[in-house]
């Protein structure tokens, strides 16, 4: 198993390098020059300009610039935010926990809806419950997160006045603080979690239906095992294998949804940091946040691979 | 087109007069009730945004602050926004752009996906592996952050070259299409890998057909079904992507009221003017649900293995 994890790690590194290459090429191809202001400034003589360009390596060939940039990123030297006047990595580390808290809770909510509903629907295919679940799932993943967010605010904040629609830093500590943190996270987590749950329910249902007809399940029933034991012990574990992959493939979409939700509810996470940096032309932060999102996607793919090896031990021996 | 060639021989309906694979597909499509209803809805929506300006002659940009923030009434069926602009007229105008972006981005992603998938499916050497590695790499890119970054970096250049509206249109279509081709490429490759070993392709090869001719005349038409289905779903995804960008304030400029842009403007006035957000949101939702159901119906209609 540990060898398998190591092998997966070795595969993750080239994809991280590939992603960093894509990001760098995009940045290099983009019009605009960090020294354009210098070039039009009459007080800076051309000799000084050329010296500065040479010092920062702007005239180097592109592969050298990429290697320099990559080395700096690996060393944790992510640059300096033009707007906030602090290091980019400090800025991101301040914001990251909030994003992970919201995304993580949303994933948990989605799983705790999708697995029971999908499994129950698959044990009674084409029943009323199955049809209702299917219809809701279809509507759920067709509803864009920004619209559900607005609907939630309209119903729960404007009309009913139950929940706050702005996510803020809560002062204080102890139990009231915990309760307030949960209360203000309810709507963003629901928006993101329900959207995820909709597509996951479909995955779980179809994966269960594929497995439930197999011969070994009939054998388990013929041995006299009860329905619950057959479903939970025999069917679910095998059905979860494709589901894990599909959930990992969904991760980029989850981060997209998180950016939108953070923007709607003004959550101070890295998604809203990305938007505000774009609006403020803060290039180092934009680059770094995009790279962090890419790393998170690769990380979740890695976790999915490890889970895959645990669910299906044959894979880790290959 | 003969992507259901296998079925025509086996099914008894082949004896019927005037039989064609398209008619058979239509027969199967009609069985999917929600898909039929959705097709009608989508046609109505398209007719509304195309013909709307000829019937609803209120200007989309006339400002009348006194009549601002009104709920739905006879004069303004969908109400007015904070500047007194008619929301129905704005939605008709913006809907043209939203739907056009969806279609154009789908064409880009289907074209790129088919090209890469076909190349990867036909090549027996390292090219195929390289292209599939590229596909997997693109699949693990975080789409929305990258989309935002690309728009941030290239916005000004394209605006200068093609004007504010045209430049953003080209950029958004290319970027959305360019980040969504991977599922199509995988589907096409999988189809090609199995089709290129089939007897009819072997026969064509034996008769001396060049690889290009094999692909265009024999393999591609048979791989078309899944591509059409994926393309349909892509339209919905592209509409959502464009609305998301506009909703984040990074899509079309403020004077181009796409549905997402109207929502963006409305989101700060939810307490006093909920109608302003509800109508464009509902329009996006209806378009997306309808297109997804049509995709579901097409899956029933075009998947020859599925017996209905």
């Amino acid at each position: 198993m540990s060898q398998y994890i190591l092998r997966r790690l070795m595969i993750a590194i080239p994809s991280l390098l590939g992603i960093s290459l894509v990001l760098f090429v995009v940045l290099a191809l983009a019009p605009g020059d960090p020294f354009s202001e210098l070039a039009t400034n009459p007080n800076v003589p051309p000799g000084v300009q050329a010296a500065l360009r040479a010092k920062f390596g702007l005239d180097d060939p592109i592969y050298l610039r990429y290697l320099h940039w990559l080395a700096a990123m690996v060393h944790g030297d992510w640059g300096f935010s033009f707007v906030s006047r602090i290091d980019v990595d400090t800025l991101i580390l301040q914001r990251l926990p909030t994003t992970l808290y919201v995304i993580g809770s949303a994933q948990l909510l989605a799983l705790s809806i999708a697995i029971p509903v999908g499994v129950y629907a698959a044990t009674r295919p084409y029943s009323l419950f199955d049809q209702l679940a299917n219809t809701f799932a279809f509507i759920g993943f067709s509803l864009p997160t920004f619209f559900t967010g607005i609907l939630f605010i309209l119903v729960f904040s404007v009309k009913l006045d139950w929940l706050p629609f702005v996510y803020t830093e809560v002062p204080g500590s102890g139990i009231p603080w915990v309760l307030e943190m949960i209360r203000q996270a309810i709507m963003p987590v629901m928006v993101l979690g329900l959207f995820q749950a909709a597509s996951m329910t479909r995955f779980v249902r179809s994966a269960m239906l594929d497995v439930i007809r197999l011969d070994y399940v009939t054998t388990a029933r013929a041995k006299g095992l009860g329905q619950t034991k057959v479903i939970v012990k025999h069917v679910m574990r095998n059905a979860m294998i494709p589901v894990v992959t599909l959930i990992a493939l969904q991760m980029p979409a989850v981060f997209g949804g998180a950016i939108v939700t953070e923007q709607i509810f003004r959550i101070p996470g890295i998604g809203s940091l990305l938007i505000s940096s774009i609006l403020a032309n803060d290039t180092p932060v934009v680059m770094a946040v995009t790279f962090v999102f890419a790393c998170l996607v690769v990380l979740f793919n890695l976790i999915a691979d490890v889970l895959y090896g645990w669910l299906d031990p044959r894979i880790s021996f290959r | 087109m003969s992507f259901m060639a296998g079925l025509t021989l086996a099914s008894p309906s082949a004896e019927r007069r005037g039989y064609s694979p398209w008619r058979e597909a239509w027969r199967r499509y009609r069985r999917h009730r929600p898909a039929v209803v959705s097709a009608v809805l989508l046609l109505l929506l398209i007719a509304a945004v195309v013909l709307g300006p000829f019937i609803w002659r209120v200007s989309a940009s006339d400002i009348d602050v006194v009549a601002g923030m009104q709920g739905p009434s006879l004069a303004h069926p969908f109400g007015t926004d904070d500047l007194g602009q008619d929301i129905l007229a704005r939605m008709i105008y913006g809907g043209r752009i939203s739907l056009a972006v969806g279609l154009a981005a789908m064409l880009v992603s289907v074209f790129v996906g088919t090209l890469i998938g076909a190349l990867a499916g036909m090549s027996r050497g390292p090219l195929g592996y390289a292209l599939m590695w590229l596909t997997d790499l693109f699949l693990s890119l975080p789409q929305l952050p990258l989309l935002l970054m690309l728009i941030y970096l290239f916005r000004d250049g394209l605006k200068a070259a093609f004007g504010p509206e045209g430049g953003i249109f080209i950029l958004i279509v290319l970027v959305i299409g360019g980040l969504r081709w991977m599922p199509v490429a995988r589907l096409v490759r999988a189809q090609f890998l199995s089709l290129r070993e089939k007897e009819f392709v072997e026969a064509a090869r034996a008769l001396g057909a060049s690889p290009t001719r094999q692909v265009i005349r024999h393999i591609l038409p048979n791989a078309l079904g899944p591509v059409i289905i994926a393309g349909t779903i892509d339209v919905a995804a592209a509409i959502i992507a464009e609305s998301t960008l506009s909703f984040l304030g990074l899509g079309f400029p403020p004077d181009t009221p796409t549905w997402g842009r109207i929502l963006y403007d409305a989101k700060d006035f939810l307490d006093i003017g909920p109608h302003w957000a509800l109508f464009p949101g509902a329009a996006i939702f209806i378009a997306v649900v309808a297109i997804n159901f049509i995709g579901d119906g097409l899956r029933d209609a075009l998947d020859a293995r599925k017996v209905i």
Side-chain angles (χ1 to χ4, degrees):
Chain A
M1 187 73 184
S2 59
Q3 223 183 5
Y4 166 75
I5 295 176
L6 204 70
R7 211 159 55 221
R8 287 286 128 187
L9 263 174
M10 301 307 281
I11 296 174
I13 290 170
S15 55
L16 265 184
L17 282 178
I19 289 171
S20 73
L21 190 64
V22 170
L23 289 186
F24 186 80
V25 167
V26 164
L27 191 70
L29 283 178
D33 183 336
F35 280 87
S36 58
E37 260 179 53
L38 224 63
T40 50
N41 191 339
N43 294 327
V44 184
V48 175
Q49 272 184 39
L52 272 175
R53 289 187 74 90
K55 181 177 175 230
F56 287 103
L58 279 173
D59 298 323
D60 289 348
I62 184 152
Y63 67 93
L64 263 183
R65 277 163 60 196
Y66 171 67
L67 288 178
H68 278 305
W69 177 77
L70 193 68
M73 290 299 272
V74 171
H75 278 120
D77 177 12
W78 288 18
F80 192 75
S81 164
F82 297 156
V83 176
S84 312
R85 304 269 159 211
I86 48 173
D87 282 344
V88 173
D89 46 345
T90 344
L91 192 61
I92 288 178
L93 280 180
Q94 277 172 7
R95 303 286 200 109
L96 196 58
T98 319
T99 301
L100 290 180
Y101 163 60
V102 172
I103 289 181
S105 328
Q107 274 315 69
L108 282 182
L109 175 73
L111 281 174
S112 59
I113 294 174
I115 291 181
V117 172
V119 168
Y120 191 78
T123 51
R124 286 164 184 70
Y126 306 106
S127 64
L128 182 67
F129 179 84
D130 184 34
Q131 283 174 1
L132 276 178
N134 262 330
T135 314
F136 274 113
F138 211 89
I139 292 173
F141 80 77
S142 301
L143 262 172
T145 37
F146 52 85
F147 189 45
T148 26
I150 283 182
L151 285 179
F152 272 52
I153 290 182
L154 264 178
V155 174
F156 295 109
S157 294
V158 177
K159 288 273 178 275
L160 298 172
D161 200 17
W162 285 353
L163 299 164
F165 62 86
V166 176
Y167 193 101
T168 45
E169 287 287 314
V170 186
S173 58
I175 292 172
W177 181 80
V178 172
L179 285 180
E180 189 53 35
M181 284 299 277
I182 292 175
R183 204 168 87 93
Q184 66 178 355
I186 289 177
M187 279 207 292
V189 168
M190 289 279 274
V191 166
L192 210 51
L194 291 179
F195 178 72
Q196 274 301 100
S199 43
M200 269 188 213
T201 308
R202 284 168 65 98
F203 296 156
V204 173
R205 177 183 177 271
S206 69
M208 288 288 291
L209 278 182
D210 282 344
V211 176
I212 221 163
R213 297 190 191 120
L214 294 182
D215 288 343
Y216 82 93
V217 180
T218 319
T219 313
R221 288 221 172 90
K223 284 196 308 200
L225 287 185
Q227 168 80 346
T228 327
K229 208 162 196 178
V230 171
I231 295 293
V232 175
K233 286 223 157 155
H234 288 75
V235 183
M236 257 174 72
R237 181 155 175 176
N238 276 327
M240 284 309 123
I241 297 171
V243 173
V244 167
T245 324
L246 287 168
I247 291 176
L249 276 177
Q250 285 276 302
M251 279 328 276
V254 175
F255 291 125
I259 294 178
V260 174
T261 349
E262 286 186 7
Q263 192 65 10
I264 299 174
F265 296 101
R266 300 184 201 157
I267 301 170
I270 55 172
S272 52
L273 178 67
L274 177 67
I275 307 287
S276 60
S277 325
I278 288 178
L279 294 175
N281 281 333
D282 198 351
T283 310
V285 183
V286 175
M287 277 301 280
V289 174
T290 315
F291 192 66
V292 168
F293 273 121
C295 292
L296 285 176
V297 171
V298 173
L299 177 72
F300 278 97
N301 279 334
L302 195 67
I303 294 175
D305 276 339
V306 173
L307 274 178
Y308 215 90
W310 173 71
L311 282 168
D312 187 352
R314 284 170 307 175
I315 290 172
S316 45
F317 288 117
R318 251 174 234 158
Chain B
M1 300 294 160
S2 53
F3 52 82
M4 285 192 305
L7 190 86
T8 43
L9 289 176
S11 91
S13 58
E15 320 291 317
R16 245 187 285 153
R17 265 172 46 161
Y19 171 82
S20 84
W22 291 111
R23 182 171 297 197
E24 173 67 12
W26 170 236
R27 184 186 69 80
R28 293 158 70 100
Y29 184 82
R30 263 183 331 200
R31 299 255 180 123
H32 195 304
R33 273 291 147 71
V36 176
V37 175
S38 298
V40 173
L41 259 180
L42 190 70
L43 284 178
L44 281 178
L45 207 61
I46 292 172
V49 297
V50 173
L51 304 174
F54 301 105
I55 299 160
W56 185 250
R57 289 176 169 280
V58 178
S59 157
S61 53
D62 270 358
I63 293 176
D64 178 9
V65 183
V66 183
M69 298 309 287
Q70 284 174 355
S73 64
L74 267 183
H76 302 288
F78 287 3
T80 56
D81 61 15
D82 58 338
L83 299 173
Q85 293 165 318
D86 184 63
I87 291 175
L88 175 59
R90 289 176 78 73
M91 275 178 58
I92 290 172
Y93 180 67
R96 291 180 162 194
I97 298 167
S98 296
L99 296 180
V101 167
L103 277 177
M106 177 274 281
L107 290 179
V108 172
S109 68
V110 165
F111 177 76
V112 177
T114 310
L115 191 71
I116 291 190
L119 279 176
M122 288 306 282
S123 92
R124 287 164 198 269
L127 179 70
Y129 289 109
L131 285 175
M132 273 305 109
W133 183 77
L134 188 74
T135 309
D136 285 344
L137 178 70
F138 265 77
L139 268 177
S140 60
L141 286 174
Q143 302 221 342
L144 189 60
L146 200 66
L147 211 63
L148 292 169
M149 197 180 86
L150 283 168
I151 285 174
Y152 160 67
L153 290 172
F154 291 93
R155 191 171 36 180
D156 297 328
L158 277 162
K159 250 187 212 167
F162 299 100
E165 209 164 279
I168 294 286
F169 185 87
I170 294 174
L171 178 62
I172 287 186
V173 164
L174 285 183
V175 171
I176 293 178
L179 286 177
R180 291 206 55 86
W181 52 267
M182 298 80 76
V184 178
R186 286 185 144 191
L187 275 174
V188 171
R189 173 175 172 268
Q191 291 276 315
F192 268 54
L193 285 182
S194 86
L195 284 172
R196 73 176 190 200
E197 308 298 340
K198 289 268 157 70
E199 286 87 349
F200 68 92
V201 180
E202 226 167 85
R205 207 177 298 137
L207 288 170
S210 68
T212 327
R213 191 183 161 84
Q214 286 171 35
V215 168
I216 291 174
R217 295 281 304 187
H218 301 280
I219 303 183
L220 200 55
N222 285 288
L224 217 54
V227 175
I228 294 176
I229 299 162
T232 314
I233 311 270
D234 262 1
V235 178
I239 290 177
I240 289 192
E242 183 275 319
S243 316
T244 308
L245 288 178
S246 295
F247 179 78
L248 295 172
L250 291 162
F252 283 91
D255 48 341
T256 310
T258 65
W259 292 338
R261 179 77 213 187
I262 303 178
L263 262 179
Y264 171 73
D265 292 330
K267 77 174 192 308
D268 295 328
F269 298 92
L270 286 179
D271 43 348
I272 47 175
H275 63 275
W276 188 4
L278 285 178
F279 286 112
I284 296 171
F285 171 61
I286 290 172
V288 170
V289 170
I291 294 170
N292 279 339
F293 268 126
I294 292 173
D296 221 33
L298 284 175
R299 186 165 303 150
D300 284 358
L302 299 181
D303 190 350
R305 279 161 301 180
K306 201 162 169 175
V307 182
I308 302 186

